[in-house]
Amino acid sequence: MIQKQGQVVAVNGNMVSVRFDGDVAMNEVAYIHSNEKRLKSEVIRIRGDEAQVQVYEMTKGLRIGDSVEFSGEMLSVELGPGLLGQIYDGLQNPLPEIAEKKGFFLESGVYLQALSKTQKWAFTPAAKVGDALKRGDSLGSVPERHFLHQIMLPFDFYGSWKLVEIAAAGDYAIDDTIAVVEDSRGNRKNVSMTFSWPVKRAIDCYAERLKPAQPMVTKTRIIDTFFPVAKGGTYCIPGPFGAGKTVLQQVTSRYADVDIVIIAACGERAGEVVETLKEFPEITDPRTGRSLIERTIIICNTSSMPVASREASVYTAVTLAEYYRQMGLDVLLLADSTSRWAQAMREMSGRLEEIPGEEAFPAYLESVIAAFYERAGIVRLADGRKGSVTIGGTVSPAGGNFEEPVTQATLKVVGAFHGLSRERSDARKYPAIHPLDSWSKYPGIMPADVVRYAHAFLERSAEVGAMMKVVGEEGTSLDDYVLYLKGEFLDAVYLQQNSFDPVDASVSPGRQKAMFRIALEILGAALQLKDKDDARSWFYEVRQAFLDLNGSAEGSDLYASSLAKIKAALAERKPEYDAEARRALARLE
């Protein structure tokens, strides 16, 4: 391949202008040679014989006249066995290996192989000589951690291919030829266990894209019951700093009903990224009993790294997620925080002197965010298996203002909104998802009409609470006060959850339904209460018994005694139920 050359003519932060000869394509990778370093960059605009490139490294020391080499290739990632458990930067450089070779201070222009070229993998063939194959079809498999990693015909092998040779079962390195295929013209190509794919192009080797309908169980009550997420769906978690976005993501990654977790730290603060890197190897995966890092890939770009690398980390992560979806696996991608990715876009847009949109963000902010979330989805593969990519992105709006452009652009494309509240986090109500601001378009584990019935108590309780701030408790009727206490009761015993309690941290769908029905018996009951003091003390007693129930294992003495205490307290007040309450309870039988 003929290498195209160019010269640096201007430097503006991470944006460098290059004059070139020949043909250059958008999103093509270029390398700038400066001070014996080779800095990776990407073409983001072409005007005549001049191109603007965004550099993924610090540009200190670049000079006018430095030579530039255009690769003729798009920004791509290497796909193959060995990805799980790795910690990469946005360009898929393995950070632990860089630290081992170069020390803990990363040097510019250092790029290592993403996958080990020496490690052997136990390959078992599945296809037979003479089989007709299409891109994405499985040739065989190798064990990777506790999964069978499918070795597929590379995704850029368009058309129909005939399998001419296939390797026998045995141990091979990823660059070894494991198959030879031939097209209709007789052209032959060797196939190894690894190949590359451009990160800004969605992997589309599936037969059909399906509508997300099956809930992705997170074992967090407020999410699974009130604001569910579907497998293959999208959701966002906006919230002010310190409201618990990162903790909620870590809890979700641990207990969610998915096979693979990919975390894209696209500009998160270094302290929180370090915390994730330290904790994940120490966390026991409840699915396997082994370390959680073994089914996790971390793409790490902190806010102190060059802004252009934040964009690369987002696309690298979603491409790896689509790759594992192609094996029929369920993948959860958590992006933290998309606000800083948007801020990087704003910075590069300013350097390109583009017409700014709201709050100086680029005018195309909405379309770029939409294109990212649209890469989620559940698909049916050619062999009938299903795989999914679920994307959850955090947003860090300045001052917790959900009206700012990044939050609003995200809300237009996601299927669920888990808005974190400073008021709730300050009150130590975790997860701090606001039950009145949040919403979901997906079906959950509970009947939708029953959830609406329970949610109505939260709404009316909030209205009474707001009124009580004006007229006081003494200016509120007993019926309104009981309604207020019911909403507070549901909030305390069901919406809040203790992530440090071994039982309450993860609640199965079956237990959620049982707990929800008990709560509904209290919410829907017309109770015989003497006065406000009597109502307050009764709800306090029942709430404490319910909290004891939440923290006790099923079948234990504490579980039985707490449940009996709730039942006895309820029976003592001779509850009566109207038709709507009886219907709701009957739906959960």
Side-chain angles (χ1 to χ4, degrees):
M1 182 173 61
I2 300 175
Q3 297 289 339
K4 292 158 286 186
Q5 301 292 329
Q7 263 191 346
V8 173
V9 295
V11 179
N12 182 6
N14 280 86
M15 192 192 78
V16 175
S17 297
V18 178
R19 185 168 290 119
F20 60 89
D21 296 321
D23 297 325
V24 169
M26 279 290 292
N27 303 119
E28 183 176 349
V29 172
Y31 293 92
I32 302 174
H33 295 267
S34 175
N35 299 323
E36 300 182 353
K37 292 182 179 179
R38 193 165 169 258
L39 306 183
K40 198 170 189 175
S41 62
E42 179 187 7
V43 176
I44 57 175
R45 186 168 69 182
I46 302 172
R47 287 184 173 177
D49 63 348
E50 194 170 298
Q52 276 74 45
V53 301
Q54 60 177 357
V55 186
Y56 294 116
E57 308 278 7
M58 303 300 290
T59 54
K60 184 178 180 181
L62 285 188
R63 294 173 297 179
I64 305 295
D66 283 344
S67 64
V68 181
E69 164 197 342
F70 292 91
S71 67
E73 300 175 349
M74 303 294 106
L75 182 66
S76 302
V77 291
E78 189 174 4
L79 303 174
L83 293 167
L84 291 182
Q86 294 285 1
I87 302 170
Y88 293 116
D89 69 1
L91 303 177
Q92 211 190 7
N93 291 306
L95 291 176
E97 291 184 24
I98 291 181
E100 186 178 329
K101 292 178 180 294
K102 300 294 181 179
F104 292 106
F105 294 96
L106 303 182
E107 293 184 16
S108 299
V110 177
Y111 309 110
L112 301 182
Q113 294 289 339
L115 301 174
S116 171
K117 302 297 183 181
T118 57
Q119 183 176 354
K120 298 286 186 177
W121 298 91
F123 175 71
T124 301
K128 300 180 179 63
V129 172
D131 285 353
L133 300 172
K134 292 184 178 180
R135 63 194 188 106
D137 286 349
S138 178
L139 299 170
S141 61
V142 301
E144 182 186 18
R145 306 292 184 174
H146 46 281
F147 297 103
L148 273 182
H149 187 114
Q150 300 297 319
I151 305 300
M152 296 171 278
L153 193 66
F155 302 151
D156 57 353
F157 278 40
Y158 293 92
S160 182
W161 298 80
K162 184 175 74 173
L163 186 60
V164 177
E165 296 178 20
I166 185 76
D171 295 339
Y172 301 90
I174 61 171
D175 284 336
D176 293 341
T177 299
I178 53 98
V180 178
V181 294
E182 182 180 85
D183 66 9
S184 58
R185 298 182 179 180
N187 299 316
R188 294 192 174 190
K189 286 188 177 182
N190 295 336
V191 180
S192 66
M193 295 187 193
T194 182
F195 59 91
S196 296
W197 184 259
V199 297
K200 293 188 177 178
R201 182 172 182 180
I203 296 173
D204 57 355
C205 307
Y206 47 80
E208 184 182 9
R209 193 179 180 94
L210 307 174
K211 180 180 178 180
Q214 180 185 356
M216 182 191 74
V217 176
T218 65
K219 297 186 178 179
T220 300
R221 288 188 295 262
I222 188 171
I223 296 177
D224 293 342
T225 300
F226 286 92
F227 312 112
V229 178
K231 285 186 178 179
T234 55
Y235 68 102
C236 70
I237 310 173
F241 297 106
K245 296 187 295 295
T246 303
V247 173
L248 182 57
Q249 281 199 331
Q250 289 192 10
V251 171
T252 304
S253 63
R254 183 176 183 179
Y255 296 112
D257 181 23
V258 294
D259 300 308
I260 307 291
V261 177
I262 299 178
I263 296 177
C266 48
E268 190 49 270
R269 290 172 292 183
E272 296 186 2
V273 175
V274 169
E275 183 180 335
T276 299
L277 298 180
K278 285 182 176 179
E279 288 188 359
F280 267 62
E282 305 297 328
I283 294 175
T284 300
D285 182 4
R287 290 168 64 93
T288 64
R290 301 164 70 175
S291 172
L292 182 60
I293 196 71
E294 293 190 12
R295 63 179 179 99
T296 303
I297 305 172
I298 298 177
I299 311 297
C300 178
N301 273 104
T302 67
S303 55
S304 59
M305 292 181 175
V307 293
S309 59
R310 301 180 193 175
E311 181 183 28
S313 63
V314 169
Y315 290 110
T316 295
V318 74
T319 304
L320 296 181
E322 291 173 330
Y323 175 61
Y324 279 100
R325 178 179 67 183
Q326 196 62 31
M327 301 179 198
L329 299 175
D330 295 318
V331 186
L332 173 62
L333 167 58
L334 299 172
D336 190 12
S337 147
T338 57
S339 288
R340 294 189 178 91
W341 167 39
Q343 289 164 8
M345 280 194 284
R346 177 170 62 183
E347 187 171 328
M348 294 307 298
S349 177
R351 288 172 179 166
L352 287 169
E353 298 180 354
E354 296 172 333
I355 297 175
E358 187 179 356
E359 293 189 19
F361 284 103
Y364 47 81
L365 174 70
E366 287 187 11
S367 61
V368 173
I369 289 177
F372 166 66
Y373 281 100
E374 283 169 2
R375 292 179 68 168
I378 182 168
V379 301
R380 182 176 59 81
L381 305 176
D383 59 3
R385 292 176 301 156
K386 293 180 181 178
S388 68
V389 170
T390 307
I391 297 181
T394 67
V395 186
S396 305
N401 175 25
F402 290 173
E403 300 302 317
E404 58 90 38
V406 181
T407 304
Q408 289 301 309
T410 305
L411 289 182
K412 292 178 181 178
V413 296
V414 297
F417 166 62
H418 300 160
L420 301 188
S421 162
R422 167 67 68 190
E423 177 187 0
R424 290 181 67 81
S425 65
D426 287 347
R428 299 296 184 265
K429 295 181 178 181
Y430 293 110
I433 298 173
H434 200 295
L436 302 183
D437 293 341
S438 304
W439 49 261
S440 174
K441 301 176 183 177
Y442 299 119
I445 63 173
M446 305 288 184
D449 55 340
V450 179
V451 173
R452 284 194 297 269
Y453 175 74
H455 195 269
F457 284 93
L458 297 171
E459 295 171 350
R460 287 182 284 174
S461 174
E463 292 172 0
V464 175
M467 181 178 66
M468 286 171 55
K469 290 180 180 179
V470 178
V471 301
E473 183 181 313
E474 62 277 3
T476 308
S477 67
L478 178 59
D479 288 343
D480 281 347
Y481 189 65
V482 170
L483 195 59
Y484 167 74
L485 291 175
K486 285 183 176 180
E488 291 292 297
F489 165 78
L490 180 61
D491 190 347
V493 305
Y494 201 83
L495 303 189
Q496 297 174 48
Q497 198 164 338
N498 186 354
S499 297
F500 298 99
D501 187 282
V503 176
D504 200 33
S506 64
V507 186
S508 67
R511 177 157 177 159
Q512 286 188 48
K513 290 178 181 177
M515 297 295 116
F516 196 47
R517 195 185 190 286
I518 298 170
L520 280 182
E521 289 184 27
I522 296 169
L523 295 178
L527 302 167
Q528 296 185 10
L529 299 167
K530 299 174 185 176
D531 51 30
K532 293 174 186 175
D533 289 337
D534 184 32
R536 188 187 304 110
S537 61
W538 186 85
F539 271 97
Y540 178 81
E541 177 188 349
V542 173
R543 182 181 65 178
Q544 188 56 51
F546 210 114
L547 292 176
D548 292 340
L549 187 68
N550 284 340
S552 57
E554 291 185 55
S556 65
D557 293 340
L558 180 59
Y559 184 91
S561 62
S562 300
L563 184 59
K565 190 180 295 185
I566 294 171
K567 296 288 187 183
L570 190 60
E572 180 188 355
R573 299 298 172 158
K574 299 180 174 59
E576 296 180 359
Y577 298 93
D578 59 20
E580 189 177 9
R582 287 196 297 271
R583 279 196 301 271
L585 290 169
R587 294 276 279 146
L588 292 181
E589 287 291 349

